[in-house]
Amino acid sequence: MLHLILWWWFFSIIPGGASKLPEYRKPLEIVNTPDNEVFAMFSTPLKRSLTLSGTFGELRPNHFHAGLDIRSLNRKVGEPVYSAGSGYISRIKISAYGYGRAIYIQHPNGHSTVYGHLDHFTPEIDNYINQEHYKRERFELDLSLAPSTFKVSQGQLIAYMGSSGSSTGPHLHFEIRNSMNEHVLNPLEYGIPLSDNIPPTIYSIKFYGNISGNDVSLMTLPVKIDVNGSFSLNNDTISLNTSIAGVAIKTYDKAFNSSQRLGVYGITLKADDAMLFNFNMKDFSFDEMRYSNAHRDYEEQVKSSQTYHRLYRLAGNKLPIYNESKDEGWINLSNDKIKKINIDVIDFAGNKSSIQFFLKQASGPPPAIPYSDKLITYNQTFSLEENGLRINIPANRLYCNTYFNYLSLPDNEYYSPIYKINDLTTPLHRSYSLAIRANNLPSYLRKKASIGMINGGTISNQGGKWNEDWLETKVTSFGNYTIIVDTIAPTIKPIMFKNDMSKRDYMSFKIADNFSTGGEADELTYNAWVDGKWILMELDSKTDNITHYFDNHIPPGNHTLSIKVTDDKGNSKLFTQSFVR
């Protein structure tokens, strides 16, 4: 405890530190909770009330949302962002993907805060980053900083809100992490204020049967809401053709001044007033993120883009968020007794919505399930080699036992058959090895060959390395795979560029390739030079545009610009043109 107090005292007396904060800024408090856990009360990273477009723990593609998404005040970039606590900037990351421009601040209480999708930093930080770009001659950076480089006090301006990285609109992504284990923590648990008196909304309930160890979808029923805000089903007694039933729920939260559908904080399931299943979104680790595909009904997500929380646990789901999980949430209907089911959905502010109904077992046999003579046991390795296809799926890549099927479809367009491997609606926790034997591939094309994934009318390059006559890679989903060849160079298209650039603030180009990438394939790489000297081109992954903002690196006068773009298979495009600055 002493070292925490000393850290706090040190950062309170530095110039501009916490002792000089305005009265309305709440100071960073070190609090002893009843169980002696030390945690921090942070201030808001914006000097105003907050409106959210994303909550902690929301179900996002292949992950849980790790923080709060705070909406821009007027849907524009440039709003000031402030440090939520005293400490120092420990990391700065610049990327075209993910959090885009991001700052990580280490605090003396053992926590760190993250500020993502920033537009730009304060001038001092911007100058530092610009020097690193040119020193390393690269746009993407991941810098670890010494404690003395950028000390910050609580409430100090550090950056400006933006839409960089994978953001779809101006907002601030804000996280709090435990610095020791890198667990992400719900910021609302740590003093970030949010006005919310609106309970969650329940939209529909989905029912399943546990049949021969497989969870089988049985029916989906809409939920109605009356004038008093109560939720119910049209028929409160549901008959299911199964002796063991599971339930999933489609539900979202809403907060004050926001029309956005937000993730809920917690859900409980009771059968005859006994707790069967209970979870809340307080914290989790990045290693556990992909278990979100076991928590949700992944098949429903793929087919209809609808998000359902399972209120039962698949065998391979290792998430620690479940506080109680009697019988893994499965409901026993085998004794012909009608079961009373209660589901409560809560948000962080404690607003609650509830629904009650009754379940009973219907007469008649359970529905048939798809069958194959090949079964993948979720916690055992599965291997197959036949018909020019070789697969190795390590243990614990699936969340439940799954029948394996594939089809070999002859095709003259590619250099192997198209292999239809299981189905895209079956989630995988991590990658597995996939190898295909080439048919009639000329030796001079081997270095241009990759395994391609065909999804609808698009093909993505999944990478690949040769092992004798087998082309091997690792992929993270089932689907349709074949061998493709790429001999086509990327393209470079001027967006803002002409001979006379003397009155322009920037120049930009769109770069593109004939295949997207996934698996072990590399993204496009690019570099740009003016008069033979490297210049910074910032990549926007949403538009595939690269942009150079003119500064003192290019003086007035005549110049020659060169841009080179290279794809995963070594195909390159060179653009060269003179211009006047």
Side-chain angles (χ1 to χ4, degrees):
M1 185 66 186
L2 179 60
H3 75 282
L4 295 174
I5 296 173
L6 291 174
W7 262 78
W8 170 240
W9 171 83
F10 172 74
F11 281 104
S12 297
I13 63 173
I14 62 174
S19 61
K20 296 182 180 293
L21 288 174
E23 288 296 320
Y24 66 85
R25 300 298 293 166
K26 187 175 182 180
L28 180 65
E29 301 176 57
I30 303 299
V31 181
N32 278 316
T33 60
D35 60 358
N36 293 320
E37 178 189 1
V38 178
F39 69 101
M41 299 298 288
F42 290 96
S43 61
T44 172
L46 303 176
K47 291 184 179 180
R48 61 169 173 85
S49 60
L50 306 182
T51 303
L52 301 184
S53 58
T55 51
F56 182 86
E58 263 183 11
L59 286 167
R60 301 284 181 87
N62 296 317
H63 69 287
F64 293 106
H65 189 232
L68 301 179
D69 280 349
I70 304 172
R71 295 179 64 180
S72 167
L73 190 61
N74 46 18
R75 299 184 180 181
K76 295 181 180 179
V77 303
E79 191 174 349
V81 175
Y82 304 90
S83 175
S86 297
Y88 69 91
I89 297 176
S90 60
R91 182 186 181 193
I92 297 176
K93 188 172 183 180
I94 313 292
S95 175
Y97 307 93
Y99 296 166
R101 291 179 180 83
I103 281 181
Y104 299 69
I105 296 179
Q106 180 65 52
H107 303 285
N109 51 36
H111 293 77
S112 58
T113 50
V114 182
Y115 311 75
H117 305 306
L118 301 170
D119 182 72
H120 61 285
F121 309 108
T122 59
E124 183 184 13
I125 299 173
D126 268 337
N127 289 337
Y128 177 87
I129 292 299
N130 198 46
Q131 291 175 18
E132 292 296 319
H133 282 307
Y134 278 88
K135 182 168 68 176
R136 301 165 188 263
E137 294 192 352
R138 57 181 294 126
F139 164 59
E140 299 220 346
L141 298 173
D142 192 352
L143 307 174
S144 296
L145 278 63
S148 59
T149 305
F150 291 113
K151 295 175 183 177
V152 295
S153 57
Q154 187 176 34
Q156 179 178 324
L157 178 67
I158 55 172
Y160 297 85
M161 186 185 294
S163 188
S164 59
S166 301
S167 167
T168 57
H171 74 280
L172 173 68
H173 174 86
F174 177 70
E175 287 180 21
I176 299 177
R177 299 183 183 182
N178 181 322
S179 301
M180 295 296 293
N181 57 21
E182 280 297 296
H183 278 213
V184 284
L185 313 171
N186 193 331
L188 298 179
E189 305 264 9
Y190 291 80
I192 303 302
L194 182 68
S195 176
D196 182 8
N197 59 5
I198 305 173
T201 300
I202 301 172
Y203 294 90
S204 53
I205 305 292
K206 190 170 181 180
F207 299 94
Y208 308 78
N210 188 331
I211 299 168
S212 301
N214 295 269
D215 67 319
V216 178
S217 176
L218 299 178
M219 68 173 70
T220 303
L221 297 178
V223 169
K224 61 182 181 180
I225 181 171
D226 64 21
V227 292
N228 298 316
S230 298
F231 297 93
S232 62
L233 300 174
N234 285 324
N235 184 352
D236 69 354
T237 301
I238 311 301
S239 299
L240 300 175
N241 277 356
T242 182
S243 60
I244 303 175
V247 177
I249 183 170
K250 178 184 173 183
T251 179
Y252 294 101
D253 189 29
K254 287 191 176 180
F256 181 68
N257 276 344
S258 175
S259 59
Q260 193 86 16
R261 286 184 173 184
L262 304 171
V264 301
Y265 179 71
I267 305 177
T268 62
L269 168 70
K270 293 180 180 179
D272 292 338
D273 298 320
M275 184 72 71
L276 278 191
F277 204 74
N278 175 10
F279 76 88
N280 55 42
M281 292 297 182
K282 297 182 68 174
D283 68 276
F284 46 82
S285 73
F286 285 97
D287 288 342
E288 295 159 351
M289 285 286 198
R290 202 169 170 92
Y291 283 117
S292 64
N293 291 336
H295 176 83
R296 81 183 84 210
D297 183 331
Y298 185 84
E299 180 177 4
E300 188 70 56
Q301 186 89 50
V302 172
K303 288 182 175 180
S304 68
S305 300
Q306 302 299 306
T307 300
Y308 283 82
H309 294 265
R310 294 185 194 272
L311 303 184
Y312 60 94
R313 193 169 186 166
L314 298 180
N317 182 357
K318 306 302 181 185
L319 272 173
I321 65 173
Y322 308 112
N323 302 317
E324 296 185 52
S325 185
K326 183 181 179 182
D327 297 326
E328 305 298 343
W330 291 104
I331 303 164
N332 189 345
L333 303 178
S334 61
N335 56 9
D336 295 327
K337 180 182 177 183
I338 295 176
K339 293 277 189 177
K340 181 180 72 173
I341 306 300
N342 290 91
I343 301 174
D344 293 332
V345 184
I346 61 170
D347 61 22
F348 182 81
N351 303 302
K352 182 173 73 171
S353 295
S354 302
I355 187 169
Q356 178 179 289
F357 51 86
F358 299 87
L359 289 181
K360 67 177 182 178
Q361 184 177 8
S363 59
I369 60 175
Y371 173 77
S372 166
D373 59 354
K374 301 178 180 67
L375 178 68
I376 307 175
T377 304
Y378 81 92
N379 59 356
Q380 296 179 16
T381 298
F382 174 84
S383 297
L384 172 140
E385 182 177 330
E386 60 186 45
N387 298 326
L389 175 68
R390 186 162 67 200
I391 285 176
N392 183 273
I393 302 176
N396 299 309
R397 292 304 195 257
L398 292 160
Y399 301 121
C400 58
N401 296 345
T402 303
Y403 287 113
F404 181 83
N405 292 280
Y406 81 94
L407 291 174
S408 176
L409 307 174
D411 193 286
N412 295 326
E413 185 177 354
Y414 305 108
Y415 293 93
S416 77
I418 296 174
Y419 294 96
K420 180 176 173 59
I421 303 170
N422 260 39
D423 193 280
L424 279 170
T425 61
T426 301
L428 286 149
H429 191 62
R430 288 190 175 90
S431 63
Y432 66 95
S433 296
L434 170 65
I436 299 175
R437 190 191 297 274
N439 291 340
N440 304 317
L441 179 66
S443 59
Y444 70 90
L445 288 178
R446 285 173 67 97
K447 64 180 181 180
K448 299 295 185 180
S450 299
I451 290 180
M453 181 180 182
I454 303 173
N455 186 8
T458 64
I459 303 175
S460 61
N461 173 7
Q462 301 291 310
K465 295 181 179 179
W466 288 101
N467 181 359
E468 296 181 346
D469 290 332
W470 292 87
L471 189 58
E472 299 178 334
T473 192
K474 290 184 177 180
V475 294
T476 55
S477 67
F478 294 128
N480 302 329
Y481 293 94
T482 189
I483 291 181
I484 61 174
V485 167
D486 184 4
T487 59
I488 301 173
T491 58
I492 305 172
K493 178 183 178 182
I495 301 298
M496 173 57 73
F497 184 75
K498 55 184 181 179
N499 290 335
D500 186 0
M501 299 294 292
S502 59
K503 295 181 180 179
R504 301 292 180 178
D505 296 326
Y506 67 94
M507 55 183 172
S508 66
F509 302 79
K510 184 179 184 67
I511 60 174
D513 197 25
N514 54 322
F515 294 122
S516 60
T517 57
E520 294 189 313
D522 293 327
E523 298 280 351
L524 287 179
T525 59
Y526 69 93
N527 272 299
W529 304 265
V530 168
D531 303 331
K533 294 182 179 179
W534 186 88
I535 61 166
L536 173 62
M537 283 278 192
E538 301 180 6
L539 172 63
D540 183 342
S541 62
K542 298 181 287 293
T543 62
D544 294 325
N545 286 357
I546 56 173
T547 302
H548 174 78
Y549 297 93
F550 289 120
D551 54 21
N552 57 6
H553 287 91
I554 304 177
N558 296 315
H559 302 283
T560 299
L561 169 68
S562 298
I563 303 173
K564 184 179 181 180
V565 182
T566 305
D567 67 16
D568 174 71
K569 304 314 297 182
N571 303 303
S572 293
K573 176 70 173 180
L574 180 64
F575 174 94
T576 301
Q577 188 170 320
S578 298
F579 71 98
V580 177
R581 175 74 182 116

